[in-house]
Amino acid sequence: MAVELDVFVGNTTIMDEEVYQLWLDGYTVNDAVKVRMVSEGMEEYEASAEVVMSDTMDQYRTFQMCERLLHNPTKLANQLLFQIPPHRQAMLIERYYTFDDVFVREVLGKKLSKGTKKDLDDVSSKTGITLKSCRRQFDNFKRVFKVVEELKGPLVENIRQNFILSDKLARDYAAIVFFANNRFETGKRKLQYLTFQDFAFCAGQLIKNWTVGAVGESVFLYVLDNMVEDMDVDLDKEFLQDLKELKILITDKDLLDQHKSLVCTALRGKTKVYTEMETNFKNLSRGLVNIAAKLTNTKDVRDFFIDLVEKFIEPCRSDRWASADMRLYLTHYTNSAHLLDTFKYQVVWDRYMGVIKSCIFKMYHD
Amino acid sequence: MPGKLKAKIVAGRHLPVMDRASDLTDAFVEVKFGNTTFKTDVYPKCLNPQWNSEWFKFEVDDEDLQDEPLQITVLDHDTYSANDAIGKVYIDIDPLLCSEAASVISGWFPIYDTIHGIRGEINVLVKVDLFNDLNRFRQSSCGVKFFCTTSIPLCYRAAMVHGFVEELVVNEDPEYQWIDRIRTPRASNEARQRLISLMSGELQRKIGLKVLEMGGNAVVGYLQCFDLEGESGIVVRAIGTACTLDKLSAGANANAYTHPNTAPASNACNSPSKDSKEPVFSEDPPTALGPLTPLRVLPSSSPPPFSSSKPCSRQSSSSDTDLSLTPKMGMGSGGSVGKEAGPLKMLLRQQTQTALEQREFPFFTLTCFPPGFLVHVGGVVSARSVKLLDRIHNPDEPETRDAWWEEIRQEIKSHAKALGCHAVVGYSESTSICEEVCILSAAGTAAILNPRYMREGCLDIGSGDHRFDEPSPPSCGFCHIPYDELNMPFPAQLTYCYQCRRQKVPDVLFTTIDLPTEAAVSGKGCLIQARLCRLKKKAQGEVNATSISNLLPFMEYELHTQLMNKLKLRSMNALFGLRIQISIGENMLLGLASATGVYLSALPTPGGIQIAGKASGDLSNEQHVLSIQKRINDAMAKNKEMYHINPPELSEEAAGSPIPEPKQRSRLFRSQSESSDELSELDLSHGKKDAFVLEIDDTDAVEDIHSLLTDAPPPAGFYSCNTEVMPGVYNWTSGLQMFTSVRVLRLSNANLTNQSLNKIFTDMCENLLKSLYFKLRSMIPCCLCHVNFTVAVPEDELIQVAVTAVAMSFDKEPILEKLGDRAVFKGLYPMPPCLKQRDLSSSERCSPLPEGRSRSLRSTRSSGGGGGGTAVTVVKMTPLSFLPGTRLIKYLGIINMFFIRETTSLREEGGVSGFLHTFIAEVFAMVRAHVAALGGNAVVSYSMKECVFMENPNKNQAQCLINVSGDAVVFVRDTDQEATPTLIHTSCGGTDGPT
């Protein structure tokens, strides 16, 4: 005697959030049943394993049927097959596209290719996230990437509209797309301490300030008609060229000394690590300016974060700067440059340092 | 040339990719009606084509308009090979033929393919210009309204109830024609779908003609069924109740809507008010009728049809009457009114009788009636007959099938007569077919009706009517026996009514109708099921038919005993909505009886169940008996508490006085009569006798006891019933969830006994219920209403159970508890539909057409990219005839759809469960789309009448046929009503508002 067929179909599609999560997490039906049986509230219904099994299978089937629509969330709103109230639709989509930070850390900046996908079982065993869930997350990245790749206009907005995601999640995806597109290196050991959120923040800064679309929205409004492709995805090439000019800050001996004394004057007495700052000034300044000067090089763009860590964050950390010290230093370092009479690249400098400052703030963990 | 049908193809969306090379589709559309076909241009390389076609115009007879569906086929243009079909949409244009229903059909329809399921959607506009044709000999019946609802639809009142209408049409089944060997499965499925669509159109037209002949304008309780008789063909048959309905004015509506359930039922003695009511017939003020009309659907059972024609197949066993077999079944009363009333009553009865007797069959498919309509209820009458199918040779003359049903109906009629009743209400018919054997069943409730609603009756009854009504207060009148107490058709124990103490009532009452709203009930009701399996030998032809008909009486008897025991165990004394289904398979018969048990205050408290052992002396045995007895008593006590059954104790004491007198009187009668048995007489004086003794040594009894005690009660916070509403629950919220659940069990063990089979079947039903409770737990407190089980034996070792029901949540007590409940169940999906939706989307509001349409058009345009607005109208579905917290303001027409789905890649579609799950979801989607296109936002009285599932896992194939029906409606929320208080006021005054 065996159950040959067992289905339940509601006019309004019933979906239990808990089961949905288990499904998203890649649990098999049997594992999901085990989890559910011990979860709270079950005793109240005297639910037997059989009943929970039947319910779980049903729900899994429903999710599988919905998955096709979730790949194209705009369809979910006007498809006719499932009657799902709008707020439930939003929940379904949001959860489907939500990813694990641990997972995304593993693939961030990698090419979203078949090769990477093949390595997912390693990622799975490393992170403890089921392979199924890894695949879903990876495919989501890839799908979003593919869709926005061909679209013009602001990246975050495109993602939000095409996938009907919350603002937060859309921004995270923008970061992922941005990283994948520019292939930033994030996997080196020295970068391991950084979380996805650190990177997402930095990506947001870069998108906002260093891409073509970033150059003052008002300035660019007139181009709307012939919007530059990928304006949010690629860094502004002109800007990167201009960055070379900053080299003068370290190549011109006078300028370098002048800059140092301005900074030191401002810092004196305000921090415990003043001596270290003073001794390291030239080194640090060279580090930051060199990063700027090399960004025209794709290879160096990829190493942007590793450079920041090696050239700036690590030296500071070894001198035991506190975050506050770091802020103080960078603020004065940036502002003092404005007082240098012979330094003419204030605009570029600000655009560069604005991003560097906030990235370093974010990346500098005490 | 009385009609012009116009159709316009607007756009498509989400089309499947038909050209692998380009990942696109070159779609165009064929629009076909009758023999005329139009085509749109090809819209190249696009999955969201915008055809925006001209208006295609068909000039046709209204007869065709009624019979034919509009057929829309979406194809992919292919330059070098034949065009590939993407899918089809069939649109029934019947709703457009009735001025009061929809005026235009406009919206997105799923494009359906019988092999691939839904493949994208198409936006279509359809209109009809009807020219009035007053030809008396016309063959069409445009304008007759059809309702699946088995009560007078809300927003109408019955000016007159004409009575029974029936019709059937037969045809060969395309699946069994020779050509089927050479055509594709798709072509064959489509031929079948189209044929059935045509046949049901024709059937409806013919029934409409009969209604017009009778002078009516509507059919209520329309029940249409298909009998797939295999080789011998397809029968489509329908029954219904012809009525003349008047639309209530908007104002009256508002009032009418106060659905009965929202008000406690027992407004007991309002009989005086009745007196003041209009005189004679019909025209009570709308308030009287409209408002109280409860709605309830009972018999959505779907019978399959009968069979073929020709020489009559052999009828091996003709009907077994329920009556004789199941003596305790029903009893109503009415019998003798008080002494004085006697003669008058006789007279009245005669009058009514003549009124009804002029009809061939005084049957009513209604299960719920205007107040005062139902005078007395006698009990359940049923008849079954086993037939051998034979090929239908001449589809135009389906006499054999007609004759079969005629026979059964006659039998029902005579049973009713035996119960002293002149009418049968809550009437339904069904069939079960296995190979060439077919069981035809009919069942109903014998009753005496108030002639006021019958034309003939109205003429002569005049003031007598009042007096007739008077003695029976509505809260108990229907329970009074209609038959003569001295000449009872079966042994029964009668007592004086516990409510009015004036007339006799039986100790239990079984009916197929819904609980009358005005009935006085103690506590809540509950779903009671009796389940039974009986093995039979495989056989062929006559032998088979004979063995089946020999088994039937025993099955009926056992089902009845089970019901009775379970009823007693729950301390209840009446069953409503009783539906007994018997299904045949090759090697077994399945019986399933479902009903809703209640405690009627008018009937005596049920006696206990006594367990008796055979031989005393055996100590261990005695102890065993005692322990069982104790368990039973405990269960009864627990049930009483659970269902809040506290009959007023007063009845005991008060009983003291009236009883002596009746006793005398009855003695008096007795002396005259030959032999009414002393025993029952004695019993009368103490209503509490233990009527039931179960002998434990009897193996059957062991089984009975076992099944009695294994039925698990629903979990806390859940109630269930198979009627329209649960007595004792009033404050419904708008939270509801209609669902269909199907289970198929494969019996692996070859040597099963009756007992083990019974256990398997019982567990299957119980487990299914448990699963439902679990699934719907987030709706607690909640009631499963209109729980409709259908069983089938699709193959040798398979048992199939399908359930359709609606879960409705209610507020237990005001507010306080609610918070608590929420907290407890928070982890769960906070309940889908309506509860929350209320504040959510205005899209859910009934969108009258224009709005809906513009919305969908808009979405077409934006479908490419944008932030997908809520383009889809929310359509609620319920098997009930009402939606709590809302008013139905318009009926848009009947929905009656038949779909076939087939697959040759079963595994790829997720196995049988995946296949059926998708198909059912698709059927729901297509129903919703049709309703939305008619401008509606809900389907009421929804039922799945057929779900035939066949599989062949070895070949990776499966096929399923589903037939659903219901009434498309427009509703508005009650809260919106506050905007028009004046109207309500008017209606309360009983005045007719503007129509």
Side-chain angles (χ1 to χ4, degrees), chain A residues 22-39:
Chain A
L22 291 170
W23 178 72
L24 289 174
D25 289 344
Y27 282 77
T28 61
V29 174
N30 286 326
D31 291 346
V33 170
K34 277 180 210 147
V35 174
R36 294 186 77 192
M37 287 303 288
V38 296
S39 74

Side-chain angles (χ1 to χ4, degrees), chain B residues 371-391:
Chain B
F373 186 86
L374 199 61
V375 180
H376 299 303
V377 169
V380 170
V381 285
S382 81
R384 286 182 208 282
S385 133
V386 181
K387 303 285 187 190
L388 269 180
L389 299 176
D390 199 347
R391 183 169 282 275

Side-chain angles (χ1 to χ4, degrees), chain B residues 660-678:
Chain B
E661 193 216 331
K663 237 191 209 160
Q664 287 166 1
R665 206 198 306 156
S666 48
R667 252 176 225 148
L668 208 75
F669 280 128
R670 187 157 31 114
S671 59
Q672 297 167 344
S673 77
E674 47 295 75
S675 71
S676 69
D677 60 273
E678 188 103 9

Side-chain angles (χ1 to χ4, degrees), chain A residues 185-199:
Chain A
E185 175 61 63
T186 65
K188 288 270 163 56
R189 257 195 40 174
K190 284 180 180 169
L191 296 177
Q192 284 307 317
Y193 78 100
L194 291 170
T195 65
F196 168 71
Q197 285 310 325
D198 294 335
F199 283 118

Side-chain angles (χ1 to χ4, degrees), chain A residues 78-80, chain B residues 11-15 108-111 119-122:
Chain A
N78 57 15
Q79 52 83 33
L80 302 177
Chain B
R13 68 181 180 197
H14 309 157
L15 295 187
W108 288 101
F109 291 89
I111 301 169
R119 306 169 97 190
E121 290 128 35
I122 185 167

Side-chain angles (χ1 to χ4, degrees), chain B residues 291-314:
Chain B
L292 300 184
T293 330
L295 1 142
R296 314 182 159 194
V297 181
L298 192 203
S300 28
S301 59
S302 47
F306 15 97
S307 43
S308 36
S309 62
K310 250 319 192 63
C312 357
S313 11
R314 116 160 283 83

